[in-house]
Amino acid sequence: MQLISADPRSLKENPDRSRQSKSSPQSDALLCASIKAIGVVQPPVVRLDPDGGNSYIIVFGHRRAAQAIAAELAEIPLLLAEPTDDLGAMQSLAENIAREPLNPVDQWRAIERLVALGWTEESIALALALAVRQIRKLRLLANILPAILDQMARGDMPNEQQLRTIAAASQEEQAEVWKKYKPKKQEPQVSWWDMARALTKTRMLAKDASFGDELAAAYGIVWQEDLFAPADQDGRFTTDVEAFLGAQQEWLSNNLPKRGTVIEVNDWGQPKLPPKANQIYGKPGKGDNTGWYINPRDGSVQSVAYRLPENKAKTVKGEAGEETVVDAVDAPRARPDVTQKGLDMIGDLRTDALHEALARAPIEDDMLIALLILGFAGTNVTIASGSSDNPYGHANGRKHAAKLIREDGKVSFDRDLLQRVARALLIDVMSCRRNRSDSGLAARIAGEVIGADQFLVNTATEEFLSCLSRNALEAVAGEASVPLGSKVKETRATLVAHFADDRFVHPAALIAPSPEEVRSFAAAFAKAEAGALSEDGDEINARSEPDPDEADVAETESDFREAAE
């Protein structure tokens, strides 16, 4: 090389330079300030223009020459060289990578130029001290739509996983997705995640394939290389899911082991074992079975061990006294008369009728007090409201108490107001619903006292009757003298039509409890009260005679139980 001097303005740019992306304004300003202070430390490398004349073409140092012009230098030192075309291309790429790494788009363009000049991927990797795999990854950009490449060249790069997904799609698919996700003026960057998701295709990996090359060729499977997969793994894949699964299925049919069966999978990809079979998680025994299936998520062949229940034998005596051993057949489980849904409906029906009776039925003052006692003795008292379908809508007693306060701040004892507020409070508290708001037997006792059964609506509906067993439905039809249909649904339809203009209340839905239930309810509270008093032994032993007040309470409780019965 020969050291010369020349005006930087007379230099021509190299059309084959590696760095075509613009540098940042900050880095250009820093280089310009350095050149103004100490000049050009490292002369740019130039060569004579092959078109003739005494002009020079820059080989290395385009930024230095440009910032020397910005610094208003009249001349700068230059190194005149005569490199060969292919060596110049390699030197240009290597020099830029060593100084400041090129973005992947510029690296790919430089590599493609080297390949066009006869360089192999291996020789490029050796000269640049890069892995051959990295060179192949960069060459994936050849599959990228030019408009997307231009966006990447601006420094807006996807991650490797997203780049792989985009490069694997056809340019037609990329163009269609690019129309939707290309950046707007106010959003200079691309949502690469959205683009990659839109172009994602299900991949079946060769490492999960049990079939060989013969079946792969028969099903037309062409493996593609995943350059982003770990180097120690088989990175081949195919997006032809149907062909992959077909080859796996044929291989499984031809290689099914002894005592092995092909089983199906459910919607979540889990194996569906035979009825009453138990999966074995340890080592299977000799009499156990193995089910083979194809995992729909990755297409791999999987197996699961299971054990079928043993047939139970029983001895049956004939008419002549002979004994015969036969397989025992489990009797089918009897369906309950009312399903869980039916019980839930009964709870709702009871609650609605109870609330209707509390609002409209005649209630005496003494009875109202007794109802309040029962209401707050309910098992749902913390308190959870039964006035709505939401069991967590807690009743707020303060809102009812506030209605009793007059404008002067005193409590009102107006009987009509007290009646209305007491009824509203009971409606909030008492419930027969089958959830957290259930008041238990207390609500049913209260319902019997005020005749809430009269407010129950017609239960001869399709929805409720469908909750009854066949036996329970036929019993209802027999009591109503309704002919049975050949099918259960016909019997239900006949019952609905029969009671269309009448009211039918199923006995299971009645609110009134039996006398035994009421006595047990009262005895449970009496026992709890006695246990609480016995904890204070000194106080009990100190009194030789019963307290008159307690005697009155006991008498009142006895009278109330008699009235309830």
Side-chain angles (χ1 to χ4, degrees):
M1 290 188 181
Q2 179 183 358
L3 183 63
I4 61 174
S5 296
D7 187 343
R9 297 166 186 79
S10 64
L11 303 179
K12 295 182 179 180
E13 292 186 353
N14 186 353
D16 296 330
R17 61 176 178 170
S18 297
R19 190 184 300 278
Q20 296 185 16
S21 302
K22 292 183 178 180
S23 54
S24 65
Q26 294 82 0
S27 60
D28 288 343
L30 182 61
L31 179 59
C32 182
S34 174
I35 291 175
K36 284 182 178 180
I38 59 175
V40 178
V41 177
Q42 183 176 358
V45 177
V46 298
R47 59 182 173 85
L48 286 172
D49 188 353
D51 294 336
N54 295 325
S55 58
Y56 302 100
I57 296 177
I58 302 174
V59 180
F60 313 131
H62 290 79
R63 286 185 64 235
R64 281 168 278 165
Q67 296 310 313
I69 296 173
E72 299 181 353
L73 298 184
E75 286 186 344
I76 59 172
L78 303 170
L79 287 174
L80 179 61
E82 296 179 357
T84 57
D85 290 342
D86 58 339
L87 182 59
M90 174 53 70
Q91 287 178 340
S92 175
L93 176 57
E95 191 263 352
N96 277 283
I97 288 180
R99 286 184 171 276
E100 182 179 351
L102 297 171
N103 67 46
V105 176
D106 284 342
Q107 291 183 39
W108 162 71
R109 286 170 174 160
I111 289 172
E112 292 301 319
R113 185 158 53 88
L114 291 172
V115 171
L117 293 172
W119 289 72
T120 63
E121 292 178 348
E122 290 75 13
S123 60
I124 295 172
L126 181 63
L128 299 178
L130 296 174
V132 177
R133 192 180 193 84
Q134 181 65 22
I135 301 299
R136 291 175 180 171
K137 285 181 183 180
L138 290 171
R139 297 197 71 190
L140 277 177
L141 294 174
N143 302 328
I144 302 295
L145 189 72
I148 301 178
L149 271 180
D150 293 340
Q151 179 67 23
M152 294 180 181
R154 298 186 184 101
D156 184 14
M157 286 293 300
N159 60 35
E160 288 190 353
Q161 179 67 30
Q162 295 163 349
L163 178 60
R164 174 181 63 180
T165 303
I166 296 171
S170 66
Q171 295 220 351
E172 291 77 11
E173 294 171 327
Q174 293 180 41
E176 183 177 352
V177 173
W178 178 249
K179 290 180 181 178
K180 181 177 181 181
Y181 294 105
K182 64 182 179 180
K184 308 298 188 294
K185 292 182 179 179
Q186 63 274 18
E187 298 177 0
Q189 292 188 329
V190 176
S191 177
W192 298 113
W193 184 85
D194 288 330
M195 277 200 63
R197 184 183 61 174
L199 293 169
T200 297
K201 294 182 179 179
T202 302
R203 291 185 172 192
M204 294 295 173
L205 305 180
K207 65 183 183 67
D208 293 326
S210 299
F211 56 85
D213 295 338
E214 185 176 347
L215 272 180
Y219 279 84
I221 297 174
V222 178
W223 299 113
Q224 303 177 49
E225 185 69 27
D226 183 359
L227 300 176
F228 293 84
D232 57 345
Q233 294 183 9
D234 186 351
R236 295 175 302 158
F237 70 92
T238 180
T239 56
D240 192 346
V241 177
E242 185 176 354
F244 184 95
L245 295 179
Q248 287 283 74
Q249 191 68 46
E250 182 172 338
W251 179 91
L252 180 59
S253 301
N254 297 334
N255 295 274
L256 195 64
K258 187 178 180 181
R259 295 186 66 82
T261 57
V262 178
I263 58 178
E264 298 179 351
V265 295
N266 57 25
D267 295 337
W268 296 274
Q270 300 298 322
K272 295 170 62 176
L273 299 179
K276 298 184 179 181
N278 295 318
Q279 184 174 348
I280 300 174
Y281 295 95
K283 185 177 180 181
K286 293 183 179 179
D288 296 330
N289 299 279
T290 304
W292 295 84
Y293 63 97
I294 296 177
N295 190 332
R297 297 179 180 176
D298 57 15
S300 60
V301 176
Q302 304 285 343
S303 65
V304 59
Y306 62 90
R307 183 174 299 156
L308 294 172
E310 297 181 358
N311 292 329
K312 299 179 182 179
K314 66 177 181 179
T315 302
V316 179
K317 289 186 177 182
E319 296 180 356
E322 72 278 7
E323 295 183 350
T324 305
V325 178
V326 297
D327 292 338
V329 179
D330 294 336
R333 298 177 62 182
R335 180 186 174 185
D337 287 343
V338 184
T339 64
Q340 294 296 316
K341 180 182 177 182
L343 294 176
D344 289 337
M345 291 181 63
I346 288 173
D348 291 339
L349 294 172
R350 285 174 171 175
T351 301
D352 294 339
L354 175 62
H355 291 174
E356 191 73 14
L358 287 169
R360 296 166 50 193
I363 303 176
E364 299 295 334
D365 292 345
D366 292 342
M367 184 186 296
L368 193 60
I369 295 174
L371 292 176
L372 284 170
I373 295 173
L374 283 172
F376 287 97
T379 56
N380 60 324
V381 174
T382 44
I383 298 164
S385 175
S387 61
S388 68
D389 293 335
N390 179 12
Y392 305 103
H394 292 282
N396 187 353
R398 287 177 294 181
K399 70 179 181 181
H400 301 293
K403 300 175 183 177
L404 302 178
I405 306 302
R406 300 186 310 219
E407 292 183 359
D408 59 359
K410 302 295 183 179
V411 177
S412 172
F413 294 99
D414 179 75
R415 174 164 293 187
D416 292 339
L417 178 61
L418 286 171
Q419 286 273 351
R420 291 196 303 272
V421 173
R423 288 174 184 261
L425 178 60
L426 285 169
I427 289 174
D428 256 354
V429 171
M430 305 192 80
S431 168
C432 298
R433 302 188 195 280
R434 292 200 352 132
N435 53 33
R436 180 179 169 184
S437 71
D438 187 10
S439 301
L441 196 64
R444 296 181 61 193
I445 295 174
E448 181 188 18
V449 170
I450 60 177
D453 281 336
Q454 300 177 13
F455 294 85
L456 281 168
V457 298
N458 184 17
T459 58
T461 62
E462 179 68 27
E463 183 180 13
F464 180 79
L465 294 179
S466 64
C467 299
L468 301 182
S469 66
R470 176 188 287 270
N471 292 336
L473 192 67
E474 291 177 351
V476 171
E479 293 177 1
S481 300
V482 172
L484 300 178
S486 58
K487 297 182 180 179
V488 173
K489 64 179 182 179
E490 294 177 359
T491 303
R492 285 201 302 265
T494 306
L495 284 171
V496 171
H498 179 77
F499 290 105
D501 299 326
D502 197 358
R503 185 175 75 103
F504 165 72
V505 178
H506 193 275
L510 292 175
I511 298 176
S514 66
E516 292 77 12
E517 290 177 303
V518 178
R519 282 194 289 268
S520 299
F521 172 81
F525 278 96
K527 183 178 180 180
E529 181 68 17
L533 290 175
S534 64
E535 294 179 359
D536 194 352
D538 295 338
E539 182 180 351
I540 294 176
N541 294 330
R543 295 184 298 185
S544 58
E545 296 182 0
D547 192 305
D549 294 336
E550 291 185 0
D552 292 340
V553 172
E555 184 178 356
T556 302
E557 290 180 353
S558 176
D559 293 342
F560 176 75
R561 285 196 297 270
E562 291 177 1
E565 294 175 4

